[in-house]
Each structure stands twice: as structure tokens, then as C-alpha cells.
């Protein structure tokens, strides 16, 4: 009999009577179920997790073991009845040995756009989890509960969930405490719906802006990415390294190991032509920091290959490094369909069966999001191609996750809490995050805009394809409400100015749906007609606010040949540059407001706009935050987490290059459009020369660098103190500079503060010619400044 969930929203939404032996799970109290083998030790919560896992594993058949490490997503319809509800009878028929995971209970039919097939409501999603868990725990032989996972890259990707700035925007805050707070709120929204695992965060170091997934990353620097990754996992799963999941938290999945952020030709899943030294210097550190400092339970292997070895078959990567060197204790999960890709894409095995054998023997424990890679493992064991020991190891790791999550003891959702999702606390935090993510790239004095209290009202033209839409970026959720920039500006201005608006150009035809395969740019002739209309609308304006950039379709994850997202050009697409040029001819001040997910390599706009505000995809409250920044209610203080190339010919163009790089080009600049760490303010700051706690330290000791920051302007604002270092003489080449610490501070006009940042020994380490991790004695230049270019330095000597 199906559990019936009845909720009264008007009365505050409480979970009411449930049929059968199940009691109402009000405020997440335990639901009573009739557990098979109720006296078995694996049900005893007082026993150590390891003992419970071994007891359960010893009772499992071969088919039950295989069932635990596959997932259901594409085939949801096979276990669902009318109105897409979970159907226990169908589940028993299709999956008689149980289900290990179900992907995304918030969606109805697997990989479909929520604009085509709407996501489940909170109540329906919780009902789905309740029904599936009750079936798993009462109607399968061993009663093993299901683990549900969801996406939550920058907010829970579900209906009525808080939507925060995309990851590259969160990185621009340079504020790990804020990222920790955001992910803690995300965890609460996810956990209340009965979901215990999220596929987040992404700690790929992004070193190619052609790659459409750059928006999902924390940028190009391994130190910054690592700190943001650690903060994300601590927010999702709690602090410390204890794997037992606290109430209100979720398990995190670290993505994607590794080299994913610098693919050949900038195309998603392309080979990573990266040496072991570069892997260890640039791509490994964020993963290592998260694994060694947080309770991370899952790591996702990457789609790409390294030196001819796809990551899902790379035992050195997954076993020697991840588990051996770093001591990872959790499970390695596949990226979606990546096991099968070893047969159909990489061509290293003849079929999916062989791909599954290779994956599990190489250290992959769980097949996502379906079972095509692992569904034949029982036959592989019988044939001796996969040992029972290898299978048991994978199942043991996954069962350990389930016990650590508390699924055997209390897997139930909490409707009352879930219905508060995306409430006032979330909205306020989304607004704060949006404000802190904004980066002021240029200002010739036009910002902040003034609203006179009396006299003639100014006319402000709000123009552009991104003015009246709240773009959320890839892996988006659906907040209860969102604010477009035009709405935010109108709400702030009220009747103190005349606001006029025009689209200007259409970037892409049709609905800008991230899920849609086809991407067709707007019709050029129609756009030129729109440009003429926009010029007339703006002709009498005092100021033009031009909202340009990308859509969720013009830069995104290219997950299939028919669903592309990477680009060969970094400049504006379509007729946006024509729109800018036409408006420029009016001779009015133009503020370019950039809405995008990739670094803004727009040379004409950079040269000719009077002011430029980078907003990324700033979440559900983007309109309010952007308006507050444009009119000076908020002082932008974000910094760029990536280097912005002048054009695609400079790529790759990251700040921590080797001394022999960047010699120069004929007929063009070698310098970037905007350097890593760059961002302006409406106020002015000074930093004193750096002072070390000691000019001489021994190998293995930390050192503290201090500088006094002063707000010399007339407005409160934020500055980010950035500390870099350079190893002056080394046995192998080292970067010209490397980030080693940072701190964002808020200062009132005239206020000074001494900021002390400790450089840990790990920042002084290198991999020598024998590929040993060492600190070589000698001189290091320690640099401090507001970005990676404007720096003051001091010398540190490291002695043996």
C-alpha cells in the first residue's frame, strides 16, 4: 500500500496520517518500518559502522551486491506509475535485488529539461522518497535503504530552492566563510527532502576559458580553488574529518578527478595533455586539501584521459594517489555514463561489460547515473574477470556511505522543514552572496549613479538581452521568485528617475534553456532592427546601462556531440558588439553590465565603456544586488578568480606561468585584459609594505606576513589582501608567482587594519627532479597586493 502524504500549506504544512505501520514523520521523527531480519546486527545502531557493514555484506548474494553499486535515473519510468509516483510492484519486478541509488528525486523522468517536464513539488518529492524507502526497507530481502543524490552546485537544483551565484561568482567573493555558510544552507534544504548525497563541489582548476564548464569552477588557482572547496564541503557535511553525517547535513561529492579544466582544444571531455608534474603542482592540490581536511565521502572520476589513460580506468590516479598518498576513505563514483564512454568514446574496450570490468578493477566503486556499466558484473565475477574481493571492496565502500549517512537508522525526510526552503533566510543569503560576487572592472567616474532628491529626473536607459532576465547558469534550481536587473533597478529608483528599456538584440532564438541541444543565434537582420529601436529608446537618456554577455546556452557543459557548449572565440556572440557600437555613437555614458559564465574577453567594450561591472550569473537576487551596486548602496568588492585573455590567441593565459612563458607576440599584447585577482572599488585603499614575522625560517616552519590596509576614500568598502610567493632559485622550474594566502576585509572611510596571513609550509613545497615533495632551502620573494600584478615584496630566507 502506498504511503499517503497530505499537507496543509495554509496551516504551516505538516505531514499528516500515513497508512500501514508507518507513523507520521513530523519534524523528521523516525518512521516505523517492518525491517527484514530485524534482529540482524546490521540494524543495531550501537555497533560500529565497520561491524554493521561486514555483517550485511556477509548476508548478500552476488546479485544483491551488484544492485547496490548501480543507480536509477534514465529508467525511472520503469519503477513509476500514473502521475510518475513510485510504484513498489514495478520496482520489485524490475529491481528484485534492491536499488543502490536513485538520482534526483526532484525530477520526474531523468534527463529532461524541467521546462519540458516540470520538477516535482516539495510534497511530491518527499512522497517519492518515502514510498521508495518504505519499499526498499520492507519489501526487499535485506531491507537496504536507497541513497538519493541531487545536484547542488550553486543551490539545490530543485523546485522552490534557494539559487545562489554560479561557482565562478562565488569564487569572486574570495570569502570562504561565506561559501561555507551558503553550502550549509544548501545542505539543510537538500537533507529535509530525504536526500543524503549531493554532486558538489567542483574543484577542477580551470585554465582554458574556451571550456564551457569554466562557470562551474572556482577559477584558475589551486590555492583559491582548494580553500573554496574545503569551505564548500565543510558547509555541506560539517567540519572536521568524522565521516558520520550530522543532522541537517549531506555528503558531498568532489568533482572531477582530474585535469578536467584544461582539455585539449578547450573542448569538454577532451584529453588532458598534462605532465605528472603539472598535475601535482596545479590540479591535484585542491583535491588533496579537501580529502585531507574534510569528511568527504565521495570523489567523482573525470571524463577525460591523461597520458592515454581515461580517468575511470586509471588505477594510479584513483588508488595510488587518491587512496594511497592522500588516505581517501570513501567511494569513487563515476561521472554520468563515463564507464560506458570507455567503450563508445575512448575505444579502449569493446563493450560496456568490459568497461565495467576495467572500471571496478581500477578503483571505481559506483556506476552513475544508470547501471549500463556495472549491470553485467555478476557475469564478470562468474567468469573470473572481476574477483569477488574487488566487488566486495566496492560494495563495502558504498554501504559504509549509507551507514555513515544514517540511512539504516533514520532515512526519512522532514516535510515541515522542507516547506520552509527558499525562505527569508535563504533569500537574504542569496542577496548577500550576489553583492559580494560583483567585480568592478572599470570606472571612469560614472559609477555609482546618482539619484537627485529634487529637480529634473534623470533618464536611465536599461538596454540589452540580459537586462530583463534572471540568468542562473548551469545546473540551476528553481527559486520561488527571482529578480531581474530591470526589476531591481525599477524597484530601487522608484519615481526618482525615468527608466526606459529595450532588448537591443536577441542572443539566441527561442527559449534560453541550458538543457536544449540546439543553439541558434538570433537573426542578424532582426537584431539590427532591434538595435535601431534601442538607439531611439536611449537617445534622450542621461546614462545607458547595457546588459550583455552570454546565456545558459551560449557557454555551458558540452555533454554530447549534439549538445555542445565550448567555443573558439571569447568575445561577445551575435550582434552585441554592434549594439554597443551603435549606442556609443550617441555620446552618452555607457555602463556595461556583464552577465556571463566565462571570463569577459570583450576588448572593444573594455576599451570604450565608461564603466564595467562583472556580475557573472548572480543567483535569484541578482537584480537587487546589481541595482544596489550601480547606485552605490553596495560597494563592489569582488576579485577575478581567473585571468581574462585579450583574445583566444593568448590561451592558455593564467597568471602562475613559468619564467620562459609569455615572451611576447608580434602585433599584439602579451598582457591580459584583466589579471587574476583584479577588481576595483568605489573607494581607494592603500597597503603598507609587507612585514614578515621572521626573515629567516627553517624548512617546515610557517611564516606570517603582515600589511596595514587603509581605506583612504569616502565610502566603506571591501579589499582582498592577496599574498603571493616566488621560489627564486629551484632545481626545477617554478611559476613566476603563486597564491599562498588571502583575506577579504571591510573598512570604513579612514579606517586602517593590519592583516596578518600565515604562509603554511605546503605553499613553499615543490616536486623535485626525483618527483619528491620537498622544500628546497633558499630565497623566496613574498609579495602582497590587491591583485596579482600590483604587488610589494619582501625576501624570505629558508634554511635547512
Amino acid at each position: 500500500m502506498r504511503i499517503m502524504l497530505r499537507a496543509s500549506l495554509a496551516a504551516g504544512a505538516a505531514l499528516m496520517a500515513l497508512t500501514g505501520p508507518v507513523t507520521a514523520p513530523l519534524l523528521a521523527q523516525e518512521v516505523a518500518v517492518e525491517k527484514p531480519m530485524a534482529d540482524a546486527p546490521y540494524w543495531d545502531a550501537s555497533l560500529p559502522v565497520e561491524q554493521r557493514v561486514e555483517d550485511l555484506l556477509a548476508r548478500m548474494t552476488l546479485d544483491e551486491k551488484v544492485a547496490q553499486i548501480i543507480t536509477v535515473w534514465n529508467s525511472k519510468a520503469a519503477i513509476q506509475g500514473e502521475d510518475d509516483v513510485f510504484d513498489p510492484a514495478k520496482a520489485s519486478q524490475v529491481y528484485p535485488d534492491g536499488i543502490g541509488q536513485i538520482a534526483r528525486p526532484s525530477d520526474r523522468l531523468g534527463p529532461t529539461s524541467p521546462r519540458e517536464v516540470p520538477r516535482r513539488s516539495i510534497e511530491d518529492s518527499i512522497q517519492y522518497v518515502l514510498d521508495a524507502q518504505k519499499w526498499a526497507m520492507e519489501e526487499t530481502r535485506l531491507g537496504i535503504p536507497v541513497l538519493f543524490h541531487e545536484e547542488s552546485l550553486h543551490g539545490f537544483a530543485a523546485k522552490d530552492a534557494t539559487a545562489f551565484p554560479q561557482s565562478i561568482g562565488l569564487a569572486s567573493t574570495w570569502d570562504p566563510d561565506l561559501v561555507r555558510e551558503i553550502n550549509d544552507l544548501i545542505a539543510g534544504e537538500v537533507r529535509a527532502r530525504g536526500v543524503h548525497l549531493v554532486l558538489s563541489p567542483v574543484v577542477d582548476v580551470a585554465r582554458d576559458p574556451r571550456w564551457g564548464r569554466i562557470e562551474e569552477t572556482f577559477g584558475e588557482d589551486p590555492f583559491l580553488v582548494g580553500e573554496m572547496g574545503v569551505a564548500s564541503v565543510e558547509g555541506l557535511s560539517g567540519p572536521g574529518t568524522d565521516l558520520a553525517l550530522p543532522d541537517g547535513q549531506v555528503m558531498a561529492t568532489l568533482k572531477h578527478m582530474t585535469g578536467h579544466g584544461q582539455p585539449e582544444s578547450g573542448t569538454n571531455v577532451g584529453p588532458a595533455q598534462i605532465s605528472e608534474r603539472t598535475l601535482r603542482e596545479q590540479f591535484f592540490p585542491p583535491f588533496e586539501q579537501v580529502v585531507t581536511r574534510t569528511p568527504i565521502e565521495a570523489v567523482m572520476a573525470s571524463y577525460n584521459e591523461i597520458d592515454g589513460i581515461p580517468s575511470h580506468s586509471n588505477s594510479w590516479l584513483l588508488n595510488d594517489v587518491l587512496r594511497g598518498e592522500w588516505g581517501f576513505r570513501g567511494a569513487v563514483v563515476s561521472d554520468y555514463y563515463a564507464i560506458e564512454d570507455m567503450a563508445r568514446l575512448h575505444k579502449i574496450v569493446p563493450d560496456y561489460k568490459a568497461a565495467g570490468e576495467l572500471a571496478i578493477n581500477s578503483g571505481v566503486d559506483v556506476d552513475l547515473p544508470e547501471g549500463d556499466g556495472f549491470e553485467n558484473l555478476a557475469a564478470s565475477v562468474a567468469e573470473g574477470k572481476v574477483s569477488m574481493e574487488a566487488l566486495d571492496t566496492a560494495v563495502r565502500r558504498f554501504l559504509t556511505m549509507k551507514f555513515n549517512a544514517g540511512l539504516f537508522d533514520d532515512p526519512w525526510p522532514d516535510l515541515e522543514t522542507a516547506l520552509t526552503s527558499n525562505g527569508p533566510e535563504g533569500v537574504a543569503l542569496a542577496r548577500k552572496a550576489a553583492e559580494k560576487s560583483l567585480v568592478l572592472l572599470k570606472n571612469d567616474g560614472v559609477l555609482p549613479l546618482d539619484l537627485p532628491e529634487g529637480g529634473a529626473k534623470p533618464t536611465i536607459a536599461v538596454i540589452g538581452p540580459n537586462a530583463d532576465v534572471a540568468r542562473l547558469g548551469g545546473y540551476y534550481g528553481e527559486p520561488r521568485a527571482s529578480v531581474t536587473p530591470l526589476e531591481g533597478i525599477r524597484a530601487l529608483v522608484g519615481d526618482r528617475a525615468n527608466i526606459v528599456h529595450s532588448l537591443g538584440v536577441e542572443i539566441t532564438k527561442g527559449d534560453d534553456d541550458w538543457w536544449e541541444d540546439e543553439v541558434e543565434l538570433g537573426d542578424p537582420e532582426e537584431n539590427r532592427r532591434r538595435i535601431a529601436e534601442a538607439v531611439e529608446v536611449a537617445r534622450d537618456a542621461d546614462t545607458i546601462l547595457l546588459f550583455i554577455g552570454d546565456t545558459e546556452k551560449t557557454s555551458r557543459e558540452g555533454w554530447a556531440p549534439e549538445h555542445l557548449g565550448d567555443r573558439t572565440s571569447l568575445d561577445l556572440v551575435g550582434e552585441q558588439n554592434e549594439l554597443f557600437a551603435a549606442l556609443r555613437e550617441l555620446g552618452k555614458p555607457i555602463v556595461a553590465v556583464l552577465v556571463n559564465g566565462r571570463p569577459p574577453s570583450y576588448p572593444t567594450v573594455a576599451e570604450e565603456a565608461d564603466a564595467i561591472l562583472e556580475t557573472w550569473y548572480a543567483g535569484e537576487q541578482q537584480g537587487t544586488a546589481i541595482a544596489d551596486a550601480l547606485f552605490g548602496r553596495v560597494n563592489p568588492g569582488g576579485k577575478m578568480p581567473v585571468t581574462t585573455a585579450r583574445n583566444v590567441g593568448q590561451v592558455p593565459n593564467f597568471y602562475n606561468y613559468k619564467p620562459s612563458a609569455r615572451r611576447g607576440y608580434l602585433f599584439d599584447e602579451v598582457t591580459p585584459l584583466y589579471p587574476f585577482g583584479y577588481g576595483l572599488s568605489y573607494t581607494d585603499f592603500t597597503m603598507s609594505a609587507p612585514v614578515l614575522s621572521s626573515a629567516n625560517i627553517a624548512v617546515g616552519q610557517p611564516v606570517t606576513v603582515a600589511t596595514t590596509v587603509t581605506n583612504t576614500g569616502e565610502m566603506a568598502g571591501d579589499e582582498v589582501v592577496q599574498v603571493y610567493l616566488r621560489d627564486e632559485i629551484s632545481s626545477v622550474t617554478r611559476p613566476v608567482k603563486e597564491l599562498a594566502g588571502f583575506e577579504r576585509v571591510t573598512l570604513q572611510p579612514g579606517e586602517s587594519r593590519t592583516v596578518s596571513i600565515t604562509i603554511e609550509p605546503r605553499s613553499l613545497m615543490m616536486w623535485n627532479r626525483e618527483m619528491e615533495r620537498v622544500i628546497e632551502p633558499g630565497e623566496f620573494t613574498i609579495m602582497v597586493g590587491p591583485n596579482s600584478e600590483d604587488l610589494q615584496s619582501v625576501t624570505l630566507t629558508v634554511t635547512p
Side-chain angles (χ1 to χ4, degrees):
M1 182 179 295
R2 179 169 178 261
I3 303 174
M4 298 300 295
L5 179 153
R6 305 182 185 91
S8 172
L9 294 175
L15 185 63
M16 304 302 287
L18 301 175
T19 61
V22 184
T23 58
L26 188 61
L27 291 176
Q29 73 183 47
E30 184 179 358
V31 176
V33 293
E34 298 172 357
K35 300 173 181 176
M37 302 186 187
D39 295 331
Y42 69 86
W43 289 115
D44 187 350
S46 68
L47 296 177
V49 166
E50 182 179 358
Q51 185 175 338
R52 298 175 76 183
V53 169
E54 294 305 320
D55 176 72
L56 177 56
L57 189 63
R59 299 171 186 271
M60 298 173 72
T61 66
L62 175 58
D63 289 335
E64 286 169 336
K65 292 176 181 179
V66 173
Q68 281 303 300
I69 54 176
I70 63 176
T71 310
V72 175
W73 191 40
N74 297 63
S75 57
K76 274 183 179 177
I79 59 172
Q80 295 175 171
E82 188 178 352
D83 297 327
D84 303 320
V85 300
F86 184 86
D87 188 321
K90 287 186 176 182
S92 293
Q93 182 178 8
V94 181
Y95 296 102
D97 299 299
I99 297 174
Q101 279 192 78
I102 295 178
R104 310 185 191 185
S106 62
D107 72 36
R108 295 179 179 275
L109 295 175
T112 55
S113 169
R115 300 185 189 183
E116 295 180 4
V117 180
R119 289 177 169 126
R120 303 181 200 274
S121 67
I122 292 175
E123 297 92 334
D124 287 347
S125 179
I126 283 181
Q127 182 70 66
Y128 193 87
V129 170
L130 282 167
D131 290 347
Q133 290 294 27
K134 185 169 186 290
W135 165 79
M137 298 180 74
E138 287 195 328
E139 299 185 37
T140 63
R141 189 179 75 88
L142 294 171
I144 303 174
V146 177
L147 177 65
F148 293 92
H149 75 248
E150 288 276 9
E151 298 283 358
S152 71
L153 184 65
H154 53 114
F156 184 13
K159 191 173 179 60
D160 296 336
T162 309
F164 294 98
Q166 178 59 290
S167 295
I168 198 166
L170 294 179
S172 297
T173 69
W174 289 63
D175 190 340
D177 289 337
L178 177 61
V179 169
R180 189 177 294 107
E181 183 182 4
I182 287 167
N183 279 277
D184 181 61
L185 188 139
I186 292 170
E189 293 190 347
V190 173
R191 179 68 178 270
R193 300 195 201 186
V195 176
H196 290 71
L197 175 67
V198 296
L199 305 185
S200 174
V202 170
V203 294
D204 295 315
V205 173
R207 299 189 356 147
D208 194 325
R210 296 173 297 176
W211 184 48
R213 301 194 75 174
I214 192 169
E215 70 178 62
E216 300 176 34
T217 76
F218 291 127
E220 72 182 40
D221 178 76
F223 186 91
L224 176 64
V225 174
E227 293 305 302
M228 293 302 194
V230 167
S232 297
V233 176
E234 289 178 340
L236 292 168
S237 304
T241 57
D242 187 353
L243 298 183
L245 192 64
D247 290 340
Q249 309 299 138
V250 293
M251 295 182 293
T253 305
L254 197 60
K255 305 188 327 186
H256 311 84
M257 192 161 171
T258 187
H260 206 31
Q262 195 174 0
E264 182 179 301
S265 302
T267 57
N268 195 44
V269 318
Q273 308 289 16
I274 300 169
S275 69
E276 180 182 351
R277 184 176 307 283
T278 301
L279 284 173
R280 291 187 177 278
E281 288 179 349
Q282 301 298 328
F283 294 93
F284 280 2
F287 289 90
E288 181 182 11
Q289 290 304 306
V290 173
V291 168
T292 57
R293 292 166 57 186
T294 76
I296 190 69
E297 291 265 16
V299 171
M300 181 178 285
S302 56
Y303 284 120
N304 57 287
E305 64 179 74
I306 300 172
D307 195 25
I309 310 296
S311 294
H312 286 72
S313 64
N314 196 329
S315 181
W316 171 75
L317 189 68
L318 304 179
N319 292 319
D320 296 351
V321 176
L322 176 62
R323 294 186 172 108
E325 295 181 24
W326 304 342
F328 176 61
R329 295 175 287 165
V332 172
V333 303
S334 79
D335 207 340
Y336 276 26
Y337 317 107
I339 294 175
E340 301 94 290
D341 275 352
M342 291 195 291
R344 65 187 173 202
L345 178 64
H346 296 294
K347 305 294 185 181
I348 62 172
V349 287
D351 51 38
Y352 292 172
K353 179 174 178 289
E357 294 163 358
L358 183 56
I360 197 167
N361 287 328
S362 300
V364 178
D365 302 306
V366 180
D367 190 4
L368 302 181
E370 277 285 323
D372 292 348
F374 276 4
E375 65 182 1
N376 295 304
L377 284 179
S380 299
V381 171
E383 295 166 4
K385 295 180 180 178
V386 173
S387 69
M388 185 62 77
E389 180 183 7
L391 178 62
D392 283 352
T393 295
V395 176
R396 181 180 290 111
R397 288 168 177 156
F398 185 61
L399 290 177
T400 299
M401 286 180 61
K402 287 191 170 184
F403 279 107
N404 283 336
L407 286 174
F408 286 81
D409 310 313
D410 182 10
W412 309 111
D414 178 357
L415 179 63
E416 185 166 317
T417 298
L419 288 169
T420 67
S421 176
N422 198 204
E425 180 186 1
V427 171
L429 187 57
R431 180 173 179 174
K432 176 182 177 182
E435 293 170 353
K436 285 203 161 191
S437 70
L438 304 177
V439 185
L440 184 64
L441 295 176
K442 182 179 182 180
N443 188 18
D444 289 344
V446 66
L447 292 179
L449 299 175
D450 185 40
L451 286 175
E453 294 298 331
K457 295 180 182 180
T459 296
I460 300 171
V462 181
I463 308 292
N466 288 333
D468 197 22
V469 59
R471 301 204 185 280
L472 301 179
Y475 291 100
Y476 61 88
E478 298 175 79
R480 298 180 189 273
S482 58
V483 184
T484 74
L486 180 61
E487 290 170 342
I489 291 166
R490 283 176 169 161
L492 186 151
V493 168
D495 62 359
R496 290 176 290 173
N498 300 313
I499 302 298
V500 295
H501 167 63
S502 180
L503 180 66
V505 299
E506 178 185 61
I507 299 178
T508 56
K509 291 184 179 179
D511 191 9
D512 289 323
D513 187 357
W514 178 78
W515 287 84
E516 188 176 352
D517 291 336
E518 184 178 1
V519 181
E520 185 178 1
L521 293 176
D523 180 77
E525 291 308 312
E526 280 295 306
N527 275 341
R528 290 181 182 116
R529 181 186 61 78
R530 295 184 181 104
I531 290 171
E533 291 179 354
V535 169
E536 291 308 309
V537 168
R539 188 172 298 279
D540 296 325
D542 297 286
T543 304
I544 299 171
L545 304 178
L546 179 60
F547 287 80
I548 50 178
D550 274 309
T551 78
E552 288 93 343
K553 288 172 67 174
T554 59
S555 177
R556 63 182 182 181
E557 178 181 359
W559 64 59
E562 67 276 6
H563 186 97
L564 299 175
D566 311 305
R567 297 224 305 262
T568 58
S569 172
L570 303 179
D571 206 346
L572 293 162
V573 297
E575 286 67 51
Q576 293 183 87
N577 274 315
E578 291 184 37
L579 172 62
F580 176 80
L583 293 172
R584 193 68 185 152
E585 287 295 315
L586 294 174
K588 312 287 185 178
I590 297 182
V591 178
V593 184
L594 312 181
V595 179
N596 48 21
R598 66 169 66 247
S601 302
Y602 313 151
T604 300
V605 174
E607 176 68 23
E608 298 181 11
D610 297 281
I612 302 173
L613 183 68
E614 173 60 77
T615 73
W616 306 111
Y617 298 127
E620 64 178 62
Q621 292 298 307
Q622 59 189 266
T624 304
I626 290 169
D628 284 343
L630 292 173
F631 290 91
R633 273 60 172 175
V634 165
N635 189 350
K639 302 282 186 173
M640 294 296 287
V642 285
T643 300
T644 305
R646 292 184 181 274
N647 58 60
V648 75
Q650 291 182 321
V651 172
N653 189 7
F654 35 82
Y655 86 94
N656 49 353
Y657 56 88
K658 294 295 184 71
S660 58
R662 314 293 191 265
R663 175 167 288 174
Y665 298 103
L666 284 172
F667 320 123
D668 208 343
E669 296 282 339
V670 71
T671 57
L673 198 59
Y674 305 110
F676 174 80
Y678 181 78
L680 303 175
S681 174
Y682 294 152
T683 191
D684 296 309
F685 297 95
T686 62
M687 290 188 193
S688 66
V691 176
L692 299 177
S693 57
S694 176
N696 295 270
I697 62 170
V699 166
Q701 290 183 333
V703 65
T704 298
V705 57
T707 182
T708 298
V709 188
T710 302
N711 182 346
T712 59
E714 299 179 353
M715 184 177 183
D718 287 8
E719 181 60 287
V720 179
V721 179
Q722 301 169 38
V723 176
Y724 298 85
L725 62 81
R726 179 174 61 247
D727 190 346
E728 290 297 336
I729 302 294
S730 51
S731 61
V732 298
T733 61
R734 302 290 300 134
V736 295
K737 65 191 72 163
E738 301 173 84
L739 185 68
F742 61 89
E743 185 174 337
R744 181 167 178 160
V745 295
T746 302
L747 297 175
Q748 299 299 315
E751 182 182 3
S752 296
R753 186 179 308 170
T754 298
V755 176
S756 298
I757 296 174
T758 299
I759 302 175
E760 300 292 345
R762 65 182 169 100
S763 293
L764 302 172
M765 288 182 170
M766 56 169 283
W767 294 89
N768 65 15
R769 292 185 175 224
E770 289 72 40
M771 291 305 292
E772 300 166 329
R773 199 177 199 177
V774 299
I775 298 176
E776 292 185 340
E779 289 190 350
F780 291 77
T781 298
I782 308 300
M783 296 161 276
V784 176
N787 58 65
S788 61
E789 293 293 333
D790 301 317
L791 300 166
Q792 300 180 73
S793 64
V794 64
T795 299
L796 171 69
T797 300
V798 178
T799 59

